[in-house]
Amino acid sequence: MARKPIPVVVLAGFLGSGKTTLLNHLLRASRGTRIGAIVNDFGSIEIDAMTVAGQLGDSTVSLGNGCLCCAVDASELDVFLDKLTRPAARLDVIVIEASGLAEPQELVRMLLASENERIVYGGLVQVVDAAEFDGTRERHPEIDRHLGIADLIVLNKADRIGEAASQRLLEKTASLAGGAALMPTTYGRIDPELLFECRPRTERVGQLSFEDLHDDDHDDHDDHDHHDHHDGHDGQDGHLHAAYETVSFSSAEPLHPRRLLDFLDSRPDGLYRIKGFVDFGAPDPRNRYAVHAVGRFLRFYPEPWPDGAHRATQLVLIGSGIDTGALLKELDAARVTRPQDAPDEHSMWGVLRFVQEEEAAG
């Protein structure tokens, strides 16, 4: 079976918002997962790149003294993506840390226009300094537009403002966010599983990495770790999962293509990711369809059912502030439970719009 495409996550935000802190957290917390990074630093001294260079080895591409999003087309970005997606690198995810002065919409456009068939868009994460939000808007009014195109907004440094101010910030960013999920954090500590699939901690691929050099005891003494983390980790270390909800859905009955598309087209605010496999039954009995959705981006990947596999739909939905009961009810309504509900021969056309041409042709 073909290797899954590598998600490419764009990490954007103005100077000082905490992008590098968030990237460093992902590198430390994603044990077992190989992360490649493109650090788009603006300036002749690559301070941000130096911060992460020792952690990624030859999986790092640094773009000094310039802004990647100033490229005329996607060809320049493809050069770096080709390096990171070569099979020998065996990366699981790529993170582009954009310059604080970058135009995130242009970076997303370049990714979507990329000719690299080994990647898939992994979402735009906009990092906001919660303590400096009002001042940042005064200096950079374009932040309103950036928030409107983001898939996930990380309200970083949330511990530096009071509860009332935090509520006002949530309401204001929600009004600008266009339905994006909002995630308050301190020190950029979000669960990596929110952004990408993590390998099991015991599954190591390739050479010794930065994370191997930092065991849990060392992390506990990191200069960022002596504070009380409200957003925490998982059950062992705190509360990283507390800021979002995960919903699992399974169905032994096939799903109706049109009804599933209706659900996906109208997915609610705060629903950030959808992943899993869909059984469409009679319209395509040979294949199951891997689904990858982040923000408003959607892609299906048909692949033959494995021999002896139990045919069922299994989905995981991840978001913040979502109504889990309503989501399950809508998905349940997409099941084909009666003969008169059976989809017609044209019902897959909507799904195939989200399958890349070379995959659909196969």
Side-chain angles (χ1 to χ4, degrees), residues 139-174:
R139 295 188 301 273
H140 303 284
E142 62 269 30
I143 191 175
D144 290 4
R145 177 167 46 82
H146 294 177
L147 294 175
I149 63 173
D151 299 299
L152 173 67
I153 298 172
V154 174
L155 301 174
N156 197 32
K157 308 181 187 180
D159 57 324
R160 298 188 184 181
I161 61 177
E163 184 174 341
S166 179
Q167 184 60 37
R168 287 195 300 270
L169 177 61
L170 282 169
E171 293 173 357
K172 185 59 182 178
T173 50

PDB file of all heavy atoms in Angstrom, residues 139-174:
ATOM      1  N   ARG A 139      -0.690  47.719  15.637  1.00  0.00           N
ATOM      2  CA  ARG A 139       0.509  47.781  14.793  1.00  0.00           C
ATOM      3  C   ARG A 139       0.327  47.015  13.493  1.00  0.00           C
ATOM      4  O   ARG A 139       0.895  47.383  12.456  1.00  0.00           O
ATOM      5  CB  ARG A 139       1.716  47.217  15.534  1.00  0.00           C
ATOM      6  CG  ARG A 139       2.136  48.019  16.760  1.00  0.00           C
ATOM      7  CD  ARG A 139       3.458  47.506  17.316  1.00  0.00           C
ATOM      8  NE  ARG A 139       3.381  46.093  17.687  1.00  0.00           N
ATOM      9  CZ  ARG A 139       2.969  45.662  18.873  1.00  0.00           C
ATOM     10  NH1 ARG A 139       2.585  46.543  19.797  1.00  0.00           N
ATOM     11  NH2 ARG A 139       2.956  44.378  19.143  1.00  0.00           N
ATOM     12  N   HIS A 140      -0.437  45.926  13.553  1.00  0.00           N
ATOM     13  CA  HIS A 140      -0.597  45.047  12.388  1.00  0.00           C
ATOM     14  C   HIS A 140      -2.080  44.729  12.184  1.00  0.00           C
ATOM     15  O   HIS A 140      -2.544  43.643  12.531  1.00  0.00           O
ATOM     16  CB  HIS A 140       0.186  43.748  12.594  1.00  0.00           C
ATOM     17  CG  HIS A 140       1.639  43.933  12.853  1.00  0.00           C
ATOM     18  ND1 HIS A 140       2.538  44.260  11.862  1.00  0.00           N
ATOM     19  CD2 HIS A 140       2.355  43.834  14.013  1.00  0.00           C
ATOM     20  CE1 HIS A 140       3.750  44.340  12.382  1.00  0.00           C
ATOM     21  NE2 HIS A 140       3.668  44.097  13.683  1.00  0.00           N
ATOM     22  N   PRO A 141      -2.834  45.666  11.633  1.00  0.00           N
ATOM     23  CA  PRO A 141      -4.278  45.425  11.453  1.00  0.00           C
ATOM     24  C   PRO A 141      -4.571  44.237  10.552  1.00  0.00           C
ATOM     25  O   PRO A 141      -5.686  43.709  10.574  1.00  0.00           O
ATOM     26  CB  PRO A 141      -4.788  46.733  10.837  1.00  0.00           C
ATOM     27  CG  PRO A 141      -3.581  47.416  10.305  1.00  0.00           C
ATOM     28  CD  PRO A 141      -2.444  47.011  11.174  1.00  0.00           C
ATOM     29  N   GLU A 142      -3.546  43.791   9.795  1.00  0.00           N
ATOM     30  CA  GLU A 142      -3.777  42.633   8.917  1.00  0.00           C
ATOM     31  C   GLU A 142      -3.986  41.344   9.701  1.00  0.00           C
ATOM     32  O   GLU A 142      -4.384  40.321   9.130  1.00  0.00           O
ATOM     33  CB  GLU A 142      -2.609  42.456   7.943  1.00  0.00           C
ATOM     34  CG  GLU A 142      -1.253  42.170   8.568  1.00  0.00           C
ATOM     35  CD  GLU A 142      -0.461  43.435   8.852  1.00  0.00           C
ATOM     36  OE1 GLU A 142      -1.074  44.487   9.109  1.00  0.00           O
ATOM     37  OE2 GLU A 142       0.789  43.361   8.836  1.00  0.00           O
ATOM     38  N   ILE A 143      -3.755  41.371  11.016  1.00  0.00           N
ATOM     39  CA  ILE A 143      -3.969  40.171  11.819  1.00  0.00           C
ATOM     40  C   ILE A 143      -5.423  39.718  11.744  1.00  0.00           C
ATOM     41  O   ILE A 143      -5.711  38.520  11.808  1.00  0.00           O
ATOM     42  CB  ILE A 143      -3.549  40.392  13.294  1.00  0.00           C
ATOM     43  CG1 ILE A 143      -3.523  39.033  14.022  1.00  0.00           C
ATOM     44  CG2 ILE A 143      -4.486  41.357  14.002  1.00  0.00           C
ATOM     45  CD1 ILE A 143      -2.998  39.127  15.446  1.00  0.00           C
ATOM     46  N   ASP A 144      -6.352  40.651  11.581  1.00  0.00           N
ATOM     47  CA  ASP A 144      -7.762  40.264  11.467  1.00  0.00           C
ATOM     48  C   ASP A 144      -7.969  39.350  10.262  1.00  0.00           C
ATOM     49  O   ASP A 144      -8.708  38.360  10.334  1.00  0.00           O
ATOM     50  CB  ASP A 144      -8.645  41.506  11.323  1.00  0.00           C
ATOM     51  CG  ASP A 144      -8.723  42.316  12.611  1.00  0.00           C
ATOM     52  OD1 ASP A 144      -8.034  41.958  13.589  1.00  0.00           O
ATOM     53  OD2 ASP A 144      -9.474  43.302  12.637  1.00  0.00           O
ATOM     54  N   ARG A 145      -7.294  39.683   9.164  1.00  0.00           N
ATOM     55  CA  ARG A 145      -7.407  38.857   7.959  1.00  0.00           C
ATOM     56  C   ARG A 145      -6.718  37.507   8.166  1.00  0.00           C
ATOM     57  O   ARG A 145      -7.225  36.467   7.728  1.00  0.00           O
ATOM     58  CB  ARG A 145      -6.798  39.595   6.768  1.00  0.00           C
ATOM     59  CG  ARG A 145      -6.778  38.817   5.472  1.00  0.00           C
ATOM     60  CD  ARG A 145      -6.447  39.728   4.294  1.00  0.00           C
ATOM     61  NE  ARG A 145      -5.317  40.600   4.587  1.00  0.00           N
ATOM     62  CZ  ARG A 145      -4.036  40.209   4.485  1.00  0.00           C
ATOM     63  NH1 ARG A 145      -3.752  38.977   4.116  1.00  0.00           N
ATOM     64  NH2 ARG A 145      -3.056  41.061   4.732  1.00  0.00           N
ATOM     65  N   HIS A 146      -5.584  37.513   8.843  1.00  0.00           N
ATOM     66  CA  HIS A 146      -4.868  36.263   9.109  1.00  0.00           C
ATOM     67  C   HIS A 146      -5.711  35.316   9.958  1.00  0.00           C
ATOM     68  O   HIS A 146      -5.748  34.106   9.700  1.00  0.00           O
ATOM     69  CB  HIS A 146      -3.545  36.552   9.822  1.00  0.00           C
ATOM     70  CG  HIS A 146      -2.570  37.308   8.995  1.00  0.00           C
ATOM     71  ND1 HIS A 146      -1.341  37.733   9.470  1.00  0.00           N
ATOM     72  CD2 HIS A 146      -2.632  37.751   7.703  1.00  0.00           C
ATOM     73  CE1 HIS A 146      -0.695  38.387   8.519  1.00  0.00           C
ATOM     74  NE2 HIS A 146      -1.463  38.414   7.441  1.00  0.00           N
ATOM     75  N   LEU A 147      -6.380  35.858  10.960  1.00  0.00           N
ATOM     76  CA  LEU A 147      -7.231  35.024  11.807  1.00  0.00           C
ATOM     77  C   LEU A 147      -8.393  34.439  11.001  1.00  0.00           C
ATOM     78  O   LEU A 147      -8.834  33.317  11.250  1.00  0.00           O
ATOM     79  CB  LEU A 147      -7.770  35.838  12.981  1.00  0.00           C
ATOM     80  CG  LEU A 147      -6.732  36.318  14.006  1.00  0.00           C
ATOM     81  CD1 LEU A 147      -7.391  37.213  15.056  1.00  0.00           C
ATOM     82  CD2 LEU A 147      -6.046  35.140  14.685  1.00  0.00           C
ATOM     83  N   GLY A 148      -8.876  35.197  10.031  1.00  0.00           N
ATOM     84  CA  GLY A 148     -10.015  34.756   9.241  1.00  0.00           C
ATOM     85  C   GLY A 148      -9.710  33.597   8.324  1.00  0.00           C
ATOM     86  O   GLY A 148     -10.635  32.907   7.883  1.00  0.00           O
ATOM     87  N   ILE A 149      -8.423  33.356   8.001  1.00  0.00           N
ATOM     88  CA  ILE A 149      -8.076  32.254   7.109  1.00  0.00           C
ATOM     89  C   ILE A 149      -7.421  31.100   7.859  1.00  0.00           C
ATOM     90  O   ILE A 149      -7.104  30.068   7.252  1.00  0.00           O
ATOM     91  CB  ILE A 149      -7.136  32.718   5.975  1.00  0.00           C
ATOM     92  CG1 ILE A 149      -5.808  33.222   6.545  1.00  0.00           C
ATOM     93  CG2 ILE A 149      -7.808  33.787   5.123  1.00  0.00           C
ATOM     94  CD1 ILE A 149      -4.773  33.534   5.474  1.00  0.00           C
ATOM     95  N   ALA A 150      -7.217  31.231   9.168  1.00  0.00           N
ATOM     96  CA  ALA A 150      -6.548  30.187   9.947  1.00  0.00           C
ATOM     97  C   ALA A 150      -7.459  28.978  10.135  1.00  0.00           C
ATOM     98  O   ALA A 150      -8.689  29.099  10.149  1.00  0.00           O
ATOM     99  CB  ALA A 150      -6.119  30.734  11.307  1.00  0.00           C
ATOM    100  N   ASP A 151      -6.840  27.817  10.269  1.00  0.00           N
ATOM    101  CA  ASP A 151      -7.576  26.596  10.601  1.00  0.00           C
ATOM    102  C   ASP A 151      -7.602  26.378  12.114  1.00  0.00           C
ATOM    103  O   ASP A 151      -8.558  25.816  12.646  1.00  0.00           O
ATOM    104  CB  ASP A 151      -6.934  25.392   9.924  1.00  0.00           C
ATOM    105  CG  ASP A 151      -6.935  25.516   8.412  1.00  0.00           C
ATOM    106  OD1 ASP A 151      -8.036  25.601   7.835  1.00  0.00           O
ATOM    107  OD2 ASP A 151      -5.846  25.550   7.802  1.00  0.00           O
ATOM    108  N   LEU A 152      -6.547  26.801  12.788  1.00  0.00           N
ATOM    109  CA  LEU A 152      -6.445  26.694  14.240  1.00  0.00           C
ATOM    110  C   LEU A 152      -5.768  27.957  14.754  1.00  0.00           C
ATOM    111  O   LEU A 152      -4.750  28.388  14.206  1.00  0.00           O
ATOM    112  CB  LEU A 152      -5.628  25.464  14.642  1.00  0.00           C
ATOM    113  CG  LEU A 152      -5.293  25.308  16.132  1.00  0.00           C
ATOM    114  CD1 LEU A 152      -6.562  25.038  16.942  1.00  0.00           C
ATOM    115  CD2 LEU A 152      -4.278  24.188  16.342  1.00  0.00           C
ATOM    116  N   ILE A 153      -6.344  28.562  15.789  1.00  0.00           N
ATOM    117  CA  ILE A 153      -5.751  29.756  16.403  1.00  0.00           C
ATOM    118  C   ILE A 153      -5.289  29.393  17.801  1.00  0.00           C
ATOM    119  O   ILE A 153      -6.081  28.951  18.637  1.00  0.00           O
ATOM    120  CB  ILE A 153      -6.759  30.914  16.453  1.00  0.00           C
ATOM    121  CG1 ILE A 153      -7.173  31.305  15.029  1.00  0.00           C
ATOM    122  CG2 ILE A 153      -6.177  32.114  17.192  1.00  0.00           C
ATOM    123  CD1 ILE A 153      -8.312  32.306  14.972  1.00  0.00           C
ATOM    124  N   VAL A 154      -3.997  29.554  18.044  1.00  0.00           N
ATOM    125  CA  VAL A 154      -3.406  29.276  19.348  1.00  0.00           C
ATOM    126  C   VAL A 154      -3.261  30.590  20.093  1.00  0.00           C
ATOM    127  O   VAL A 154      -2.494  31.460  19.684  1.00  0.00           O
ATOM    128  CB  VAL A 154      -2.035  28.580  19.199  1.00  0.00           C
ATOM    129  CG1 VAL A 154      -1.364  28.421  20.557  1.00  0.00           C
ATOM    130  CG2 VAL A 154      -2.198  27.223  18.519  1.00  0.00           C
ATOM    131  N   LEU A 155      -4.037  30.746  21.169  1.00  0.00           N
ATOM    132  CA  LEU A 155      -3.968  31.961  21.992  1.00  0.00           C
ATOM    133  C   LEU A 155      -2.902  31.729  23.053  1.00  0.00           C
ATOM    134  O   LEU A 155      -3.166  31.276  24.157  1.00  0.00           O
ATOM    135  CB  LEU A 155      -5.335  32.239  22.619  1.00  0.00           C
ATOM    136  CG  LEU A 155      -6.485  32.427  21.619  1.00  0.00           C
ATOM    137  CD1 LEU A 155      -7.818  32.548  22.342  1.00  0.00           C
ATOM    138  CD2 LEU A 155      -6.241  33.657  20.753  1.00  0.00           C
ATOM    139  N   ASN A 156      -1.671  32.031  22.690  1.00  0.00           N
ATOM    140  CA  ASN A 156      -0.523  31.735  23.537  1.00  0.00           C
ATOM    141  C   ASN A 156      -0.368  32.768  24.658  1.00  0.00           C
ATOM    142  O   ASN A 156      -0.906  33.866  24.580  1.00  0.00           O
ATOM    143  CB  ASN A 156       0.743  31.691  22.671  1.00  0.00           C
ATOM    144  CG  ASN A 156       1.891  30.997  23.366  1.00  0.00           C
ATOM    145  OD1 ASN A 156       1.682  30.070  24.158  1.00  0.00           O
ATOM    146  ND2 ASN A 156       3.102  31.425  23.083  1.00  0.00           N
ATOM    147  N   LYS A 157       0.374  32.382  25.691  1.00  0.00           N
ATOM    148  CA  LYS A 157       0.615  33.240  26.867  1.00  0.00           C
ATOM    149  C   LYS A 157      -0.695  33.581  27.578  1.00  0.00           C
ATOM    150  O   LYS A 157      -0.841  34.675  28.149  1.00  0.00           O
ATOM    151  CB  LYS A 157       1.371  34.506  26.463  1.00  0.00           C
ATOM    152  CG  LYS A 157       2.644  34.242  25.660  1.00  0.00           C
ATOM    153  CD  LYS A 157       3.364  35.520  25.294  1.00  0.00           C
ATOM    154  CE  LYS A 157       4.532  35.223  24.356  1.00  0.00           C
ATOM    155  NZ  LYS A 157       5.269  36.441  23.967  1.00  0.00           N
ATOM    156  N   ALA A 158      -1.638  32.642  27.549  1.00  0.00           N
ATOM    157  CA  ALA A 158      -2.945  32.879  28.146  1.00  0.00           C
ATOM    158  C   ALA A 158      -2.857  33.056  29.651  1.00  0.00           C
ATOM    159  O   ALA A 158      -3.769  33.618  30.274  1.00  0.00           O
ATOM    160  CB  ALA A 158      -3.883  31.726  27.814  1.00  0.00           C
ATOM    161  N   ASP A 159      -1.758  32.588  30.257  1.00  0.00           N
ATOM    162  CA  ASP A 159      -1.610  32.711  31.709  1.00  0.00           C
ATOM    163  C   ASP A 159      -1.276  34.128  32.133  1.00  0.00           C
ATOM    164  O   ASP A 159      -1.296  34.440  33.329  1.00  0.00           O
ATOM    165  CB  ASP A 159      -0.518  31.760  32.202  1.00  0.00           C
ATOM    166  CG  ASP A 159       0.827  32.003  31.527  1.00  0.00           C
ATOM    167  OD1 ASP A 159       0.825  32.329  30.314  1.00  0.00           O
ATOM    168  OD2 ASP A 159       1.865  31.868  32.197  1.00  0.00           O
ATOM    169  N   ARG A 160      -0.974  35.007  31.196  1.00  0.00           N
ATOM    170  CA  ARG A 160      -0.557  36.373  31.523  1.00  0.00           C
ATOM    171  C   ARG A 160      -1.713  37.360  31.588  1.00  0.00           C
ATOM    172  O   ARG A 160      -1.494  38.557  31.832  1.00  0.00           O
ATOM    173  CB  ARG A 160       0.478  36.855  30.501  1.00  0.00           C
ATOM    174  CG  ARG A 160       1.749  36.016  30.492  1.00  0.00           C
ATOM    175  CD  ARG A 160       2.810  36.627  29.608  1.00  0.00           C
ATOM    176  NE  ARG A 160       3.991  35.785  29.531  1.00  0.00           N
ATOM    177  CZ  ARG A 160       5.085  36.101  28.840  1.00  0.00           C
ATOM    178  NH1 ARG A 160       5.124  37.242  28.157  1.00  0.00           N
ATOM    179  NH2 ARG A 160       6.106  35.276  28.816  1.00  0.00           N
ATOM    180  N   ILE A 161      -2.923  36.892  31.312  1.00  0.00           N
ATOM    181  CA  ILE A 161      -4.076  37.786  31.394  1.00  0.00           C
ATOM    182  C   ILE A 161      -5.107  37.172  32.334  1.00  0.00           C
ATOM    183  O   ILE A 161      -5.126  35.961  32.542  1.00  0.00           O
ATOM    184  CB  ILE A 161      -4.694  38.054  30.006  1.00  0.00           C
ATOM    185  CG1 ILE A 161      -5.186  36.751  29.362  1.00  0.00           C
ATOM    186  CG2 ILE A 161      -3.689  38.729  29.081  1.00  0.00           C
ATOM    187  CD1 ILE A 161      -5.872  36.945  28.017  1.00  0.00           C
ATOM    188  N   GLY A 162      -5.938  37.994  32.899  1.00  0.00           N
ATOM    189  CA  GLY A 162      -6.936  37.524  33.841  1.00  0.00           C
ATOM    190  C   GLY A 162      -8.086  36.812  33.159  1.00  0.00           C
ATOM    191  O   GLY A 162      -8.206  36.793  31.924  1.00  0.00           O
ATOM    192  N   GLU A 163      -8.973  36.259  33.969  1.00  0.00           N
ATOM    193  CA  GLU A 163     -10.089  35.478  33.441  1.00  0.00           C
ATOM    194  C   GLU A 163     -11.031  36.333  32.603  1.00  0.00           C
ATOM    195  O   GLU A 163     -11.486  35.923  31.544  1.00  0.00           O
ATOM    196  CB  GLU A 163     -10.852  34.834  34.602  1.00  0.00           C
ATOM    197  CG  GLU A 163     -11.970  33.911  34.161  1.00  0.00           C
ATOM    198  CD  GLU A 163     -12.618  33.177  35.320  1.00  0.00           C
ATOM    199  OE1 GLU A 163     -11.998  33.105  36.397  1.00  0.00           O
ATOM    200  OE2 GLU A 163     -13.757  32.695  35.142  1.00  0.00           O
ATOM    201  N   ALA A 164     -11.317  37.555  33.077  1.00  0.00           N
ATOM    202  CA  ALA A 164     -12.224  38.424  32.324  1.00  0.00           C
ATOM    203  C   ALA A 164     -11.607  38.817  30.989  1.00  0.00           C
ATOM    204  O   ALA A 164     -12.280  38.801  29.947  1.00  0.00           O
ATOM    205  CB  ALA A 164     -12.556  39.666  33.144  1.00  0.00           C
ATOM    206  N   ALA A 165     -10.315  39.162  31.017  1.00  0.00           N
ATOM    207  CA  ALA A 165      -9.634  39.530  29.779  1.00  0.00           C
ATOM    208  C   ALA A 165      -9.551  38.342  28.831  1.00  0.00           C
ATOM    209  O   ALA A 165      -9.668  38.486  27.613  1.00  0.00           O
ATOM    210  CB  ALA A 165      -8.236  40.064  30.085  1.00  0.00           C
ATOM    211  N   SER A 166      -9.359  37.154  29.391  1.00  0.00           N
ATOM    212  CA  SER A 166      -9.290  35.944  28.573  1.00  0.00           C
ATOM    213  C   SER A 166     -10.615  35.685  27.869  1.00  0.00           C
ATOM    214  O   SER A 166     -10.639  35.321  26.689  1.00  0.00           O
ATOM    215  CB  SER A 166      -8.914  34.747  29.449  1.00  0.00           C
ATOM    216  OG  SER A 166      -8.857  33.568  28.688  1.00  0.00           O
ATOM    217  N   GLN A 167     -11.717  35.902  28.574  1.00  0.00           N
ATOM    218  CA  GLN A 167     -13.033  35.701  27.974  1.00  0.00           C
ATOM    219  C   GLN A 167     -13.280  36.698  26.851  1.00  0.00           C
ATOM    220  O   GLN A 167     -13.807  36.349  25.792  1.00  0.00           O
ATOM    221  CB  GLN A 167     -14.123  35.803  29.032  1.00  0.00           C
ATOM    222  CG  GLN A 167     -15.533  35.509  28.529  1.00  0.00           C
ATOM    223  CD  GLN A 167     -15.670  34.109  27.956  1.00  0.00           C
ATOM    224  OE1 GLN A 167     -15.070  33.158  28.455  1.00  0.00           O
ATOM    225  NE2 GLN A 167     -16.455  33.982  26.880  1.00  0.00           N
ATOM    226  N   ARG A 168     -12.880  37.961  27.077  1.00  0.00           N
ATOM    227  CA  ARG A 168     -13.038  38.977  26.029  1.00  0.00           C
ATOM    228  C   ARG A 168     -12.207  38.618  24.804  1.00  0.00           C
ATOM    229  O   ARG A 168     -12.656  38.793  23.666  1.00  0.00           O
ATOM    230  CB  ARG A 168     -12.634  40.354  26.565  1.00  0.00           C
ATOM    231  CG  ARG A 168     -13.633  40.967  27.544  1.00  0.00           C
ATOM    232  CD  ARG A 168     -13.364  42.449  27.744  1.00  0.00           C
ATOM    233  NE  ARG A 168     -12.025  42.696  28.282  1.00  0.00           N
ATOM    234  CZ  ARG A 168     -11.735  42.750  29.576  1.00  0.00           C
ATOM    235  NH1 ARG A 168     -12.705  42.555  30.465  1.00  0.00           N
ATOM    236  NH2 ARG A 168     -10.510  42.984  29.981  1.00  0.00           N
ATOM    237  N   LEU A 169     -10.992  38.104  25.050  1.00  0.00           N
ATOM    238  CA  LEU A 169     -10.124  37.732  23.935  1.00  0.00           C
ATOM    239  C   LEU A 169     -10.725  36.579  23.144  1.00  0.00           C
ATOM    240  O   LEU A 169     -10.710  36.583  21.903  1.00  0.00           O
ATOM    241  CB  LEU A 169      -8.740  37.342  24.465  1.00  0.00           C
ATOM    242  CG  LEU A 169      -7.735  36.853  23.417  1.00  0.00           C
ATOM    243  CD1 LEU A 169      -7.460  37.941  22.395  1.00  0.00           C
ATOM    244  CD2 LEU A 169      -6.440  36.406  24.090  1.00  0.00           C
ATOM    245  N   LEU A 170     -11.268  35.592  23.838  1.00  0.00           N
ATOM    246  CA  LEU A 170     -11.905  34.471  23.160  1.00  0.00           C
ATOM    247  C   LEU A 170     -13.063  34.942  22.289  1.00  0.00           C
ATOM    248  O   LEU A 170     -13.226  34.513  21.136  1.00  0.00           O
ATOM    249  CB  LEU A 170     -12.392  33.439  24.181  1.00  0.00           C
ATOM    250  CG  LEU A 170     -11.342  32.512  24.782  1.00  0.00           C
ATOM    251  CD1 LEU A 170     -11.931  31.739  25.953  1.00  0.00           C
ATOM    252  CD2 LEU A 170     -10.819  31.533  23.723  1.00  0.00           C
ATOM    253  N   GLU A 171     -13.879  35.825  22.831  1.00  0.00           N
ATOM    254  CA  GLU A 171     -15.025  36.323  22.076  1.00  0.00           C
ATOM    255  C   GLU A 171     -14.582  37.129  20.861  1.00  0.00           C
ATOM    256  O   GLU A 171     -15.174  37.007  19.780  1.00  0.00           O
ATOM    257  CB  GLU A 171     -15.913  37.171  22.994  1.00  0.00           C
ATOM    258  CG  GLU A 171     -16.599  36.359  24.100  1.00  0.00           C
ATOM    259  CD  GLU A 171     -17.327  37.228  25.100  1.00  0.00           C
ATOM    260  OE1 GLU A 171     -17.260  38.474  24.965  1.00  0.00           O
ATOM    261  OE2 GLU A 171     -17.973  36.678  26.027  1.00  0.00           O
ATOM    262  N   LYS A 172     -13.557  37.947  21.044  1.00  0.00           N
ATOM    263  CA  LYS A 172     -13.085  38.780  19.935  1.00  0.00           C
ATOM    264  C   LYS A 172     -12.458  37.937  18.840  1.00  0.00           C
ATOM    265  O   LYS A 172     -12.767  38.115  17.647  1.00  0.00           O
ATOM    266  CB  LYS A 172     -12.070  39.815  20.436  1.00  0.00           C
ATOM    267  CG  LYS A 172     -11.625  40.797  19.355  1.00  0.00           C
ATOM    268  CD  LYS A 172     -12.810  41.561  18.791  1.00  0.00           C
ATOM    269  CE  LYS A 172     -12.410  42.507  17.679  1.00  0.00           C
ATOM    270  NZ  LYS A 172     -13.576  43.209  17.100  1.00  0.00           N
ATOM    271  N   THR A 173     -11.581  37.015  19.203  1.00  0.00           N
ATOM    272  CA  THR A 173     -10.939  36.188  18.180  1.00  0.00           C
ATOM    273  C   THR A 173     -11.955  35.281  17.494  1.00  0.00           C
ATOM    274  O   THR A 173     -11.855  35.033  16.293  1.00  0.00           O
ATOM    275  CB  THR A 173      -9.798  35.355  18.783  1.00  0.00           C
ATOM    276  OG1 THR A 173     -10.262  34.661  19.946  1.00  0.00           O
ATOM    277  CG2 THR A 173      -8.619  36.223  19.150  1.00  0.00           C
ATOM    278  N   ALA A 174     -12.955  34.806  18.247  1.00  0.00           N
ATOM    279  CA  ALA A 174     -13.990  33.978  17.645  1.00  0.00           C
ATOM    280  C   ALA A 174     -14.754  34.760  16.574  1.00  0.00           C
ATOM    281  O   ALA A 174     -15.132  34.211  15.534  1.00  0.00           O
ATOM    282  CB  ALA A 174     -14.945  33.457  18.713  1.00  0.00           C
TER     283      ALA A 174
END
